[in-house]
Amino acid sequence: MPHIEAIDIYNFRNHDRAHFVFKRGVNVIWGENGSGKTAVLEAVYTLSMGRSFRTHNHKETLKENTDSLSLKGLFNAGSNTKEIRLNQLSSGQRKFFVNDAVLKKTKDLIGENPIVLLSPEEQRLTKGTPGDRRNYFNKVFSTVSQEYLNMLIVYQRIIKQRNSALQEVRRGRTHEKAVEVWNEQTVSVGTKLWRLKTTIIEKFIHEINKINAKYNNEGSDIVLRFVPEGDIETFEERLKKALKLDLVKGWTTVGPHRDDYRFLFNERLLKKYGSQGEHKLALVLIKMAEINIIKTNTGKNPILMLDDFFAKLDFQRADSLLSLLNGDYQTIITTTDIEDFEKHGINLNLKNNATFHLERKCKV
Ligand SMILES: Nc1ncnc2c1ncn2[C@@H]1O[C@H](COP(=O)(O)OP(=O)(O)OP(=O)(O)O)[C@@H](O)[C@H]1O
Ligand SMILES: [Mg+2]
């Protein structure tokens, strides 16, 4: 079972030096607000995905008034252990190393040590913008399919170049032809990406339906609808027609980068009508589907990270989520109140479990 054995943290967020030796079962990090619990999850996540889940700006993670940070994690894939290290300078320059060899492309980390994260930030998936939803699904699809990740990178590069050409035409520096030369590649790569996306999303929907069947008696039913930007078959035609509008906007308005996803909870559009608890519950169900799709497609059990776990979940819901922890997963959970585990009958003293207490350094 894949798991992280240990992590060394140096100058990351509020941590100057910290060392955690994790167990293979339930690991609970507890402490007051601001003691650095989420930062530990963020550090583990960064070594798994190559970036933070809280910010796109790497510089923010460097501890204030310091020059460099480093993270070093030992990931056990069952048969072997790999050391993954990140060194980052205050300039923002950063390098990853796998067993001391420089990693040329950060994308190669993705899918190696998959993590499923349930955190308040992830709530963007049900509450946020279409862009937030696309980011989420791109991340999951990339974790389960290397082919998708590679194609996505190529497609994004093409769109970026087509957009630059659009902007050049707007500035009167070049002719419309400079945009049109990108059309053929946009259509051919975009169509492939769309087809691949459609097959993966079907698998995801299938997993969501299975989860629904399991929890339906608790009155929670989540439906995922994929809303593609347009018809795949007419992409070429639509792209040609869009030229005028694209020139006005300065970016490409049609293609798979404009898809959307909708969630219905008990038949109502979640984003518009969902209560706080329903949002969280829906997220939990989606995350369960995410765990299963990763498991079936990569053969790896992801590491589960649950941030601020008990907030906003009622007892019964928290209980059914905790039943997951009996599965074959390593979990890292943060909470302010360690007693919650006892209330749910979880014995943290078992040999595969561990607890870590963090203290806030400056008192308010
Ligand atoms: N770059 C940084 N340098 C120094 N301190 C930072 C930096 N970034 C964040 N912090 C501080 O680190 C502290 C820890 O934040 P973190 O979100 O990990 O706490 P937490 O234990 O998860 O708290 P909560 O229970 O409220 O979620 C916060 O007080 C935050 O202001
Ligand atoms: Mg936190």
Side-chain angles (χ1 to χ4, degrees):
M1 177 187 65
H3 61 280
I4 177 166
E5 291 177 359
I7 190 167
D8 276 309
I9 298 175
Y10 176 69
N11 286 347
F12 188 85
R13 298 282 187 193
N14 63 326
H15 297 278
D16 42 14
R17 258 172 213 283
H19 178 64
F20 294 85
V21 178
F22 296 113
K23 297 283 184 68
R24 298 174 67 137
V26 181
N27 297 275
V28 176
I29 302 171
W30 65 287
E32 299 165 293
N33 296 129
S35 56
K37 306 179 293 295
T38 302
V40 178
L41 300 188
E42 197 183 5
V44 175
Y45 187 96
T46 302
L47 292 178
S48 159
M49 297 294 290
R51 45 160 296 219
S52 158
F53 56 83
R54 283 208 276 200
T55 176
H56 288 285
N57 183 359
H58 310 309
K59 288 186 188 174
E60 281 171 24
T61 58
L62 176 68
K63 187 175 163 71
E64 267 163 9
N65 306 320
T66 64
D67 299 328
S68 67
L69 72 77
S70 91
L71 301 173
K72 189 172 83 183
L74 283 179
F75 288 87
N76 184 316
S79 47
N80 62 336
T81 300
K82 273 190 189 161
E83 183 194 281
I84 299 180
R85 181 157 52 93
L86 166 68
N87 287 353
Q88 183 181 313
L89 304 175
S90 53
S91 61
Q93 196 201 5
R94 60 211 294 265
K95 265 200 189 99
F96 282 94
F97 300 81
V98 177
N99 291 341
D100 284 328
V102 178
L103 189 73
K104 293 207 185 80
K105 292 182 180 151
T106 309
K107 80 165 177 70
D108 291 340
L109 286 176
I110 295 170
E112 278 293 305
N113 304 293
I115 282 182
V116 172
L117 168 74
L118 185 65
S119 81
E121 281 82 7
E122 288 289 285
Q123 202 70 69
R124 275 190 299 240
L125 171 57
T126 67
K127 290 185 174 171
T129 63
D132 291 326
R133 292 188 283 282
R134 282 193 289 268
N135 286 344
Y136 169 79
F137 283 105
N138 278 339
K139 207 168 59 194
V140 176
F141 298 166
S142 299
T143 305
V144 301
S145 164
Q146 192 79 46
E147 193 190 357
Y148 183 86
L149 173 61
N150 292 333
M151 213 180 283
L152 178 68
I153 291 172
V154 174
Y155 179 75
Q156 285 175 336
R157 207 175 292 146
I158 297 169
I159 290 295
K160 206 170 157 194
Q161 276 160 321
R162 192 176 182 276
N163 290 349
S164 308
L166 283 166
Q167 282 152 29
E168 289 293 287
V169 178
R170 282 174 92 196
R171 291 191 196 109
R173 289 195 198 146
T174 181
H175 203 258
E176 286 178 7
K177 268 252 155 336
V179 174
E180 281 161 354
V181 293
W182 291 106
N183 284 10
E184 194 187 322
Q185 282 191 57
T186 307
V187 171
S188 75
V189 179
T191 302
K192 280 188 212 146
L193 186 68
W194 245 329
R195 296 237 154 86
L196 191 54
K197 194 190 253 188
T198 314
T199 53
I200 309 178
I201 191 99
E202 271 164 19
K203 289 184 192 171
F204 202 100
I205 289 173
H206 176 70
E207 293 299 343
I208 289 206
N209 293 343
K210 281 203 318 214
I211 297 288
N212 278 331
K214 205 167 156 191
Y215 292 95
N216 227 347
N217 55 355
E218 287 166 33
S220 35
D221 185 56
I222 176 107
V223 172
L224 167 61
R225 292 231 173 101
F226 177 47
V227 189
E229 173 275 321
D231 185 4
I232 305 180
E233 305 305 326
T234 61
F235 187 24
E236 191 174 355
E237 225 172 281
R238 289 187 295 109
L239 188 67
K240 273 192 201 142
K241 271 200 201 133
L243 183 62
K244 266 207 183 100
L245 181 63
D246 289 359
L247 282 170
V248 173
K249 300 233 177 188
W251 47 270
T252 308
T253 55
V254 295
H257 60 291
R258 304 292 300 152
D259 291 341
D260 199 1
Y261 303 83
R262 264 176 221 148
F263 292 107
L264 304 180
F265 190 80
N266 292 341
E267 293 168 14
R268 273 188 226 111
L269 195 58
L270 181 62
K271 187 172 148 79
K272 280 208 170 129
Y273 301 107
S275 73
Q276 299 275 3
E278 283 169 349
H279 273 281
K280 177 136 187 193
L281 188 56
L283 186 65
V284 169
L285 297 172
I286 297 162
K287 288 285 158 178
M288 288 180 175
E290 184 184 331
I291 294 167
N292 289 345
I293 195 171
I294 291 177
K295 216 161 99 176
T296 10
N297 286 274
T298 68
K300 295 176 187 171
N301 283 13
I303 298 168
L304 311 185
M305 298 205 303
L306 313 175
D307 193 17
D308 237 342
F309 179 65
F310 293 98
K312 290 205 197 93
L313 273 185
D314 59 47
F315 191 86
Q316 191 190 358
R317 264 53 185 268
D319 221 41
S320 45
L321 182 57
L322 284 169
S323 66
L324 252 186
L325 311 188
N326 299 325
D328 213 4
Y329 302 100
Q330 181 185 39
T331 27
I332 310 178
I333 312 181
T334 70
T335 181
T336 44
D337 191 358
I338 191 119
E339 285 170 12
D340 279 325
F341 287 88
E342 216 170 282
K343 288 183 210 150
H344 286 273
I346 293 186
N347 182 355
L348 294 173
N349 295 321
L350 296 178
K351 79 173 188 341
N352 275 340
N353 300 343
T355 60
F356 306 88
H357 183 225
L358 297 184
E359 270 171 47
R360 186 167 51 201
K361 293 209 172 109
C362 48
K363 299 278 171 202
V364 275

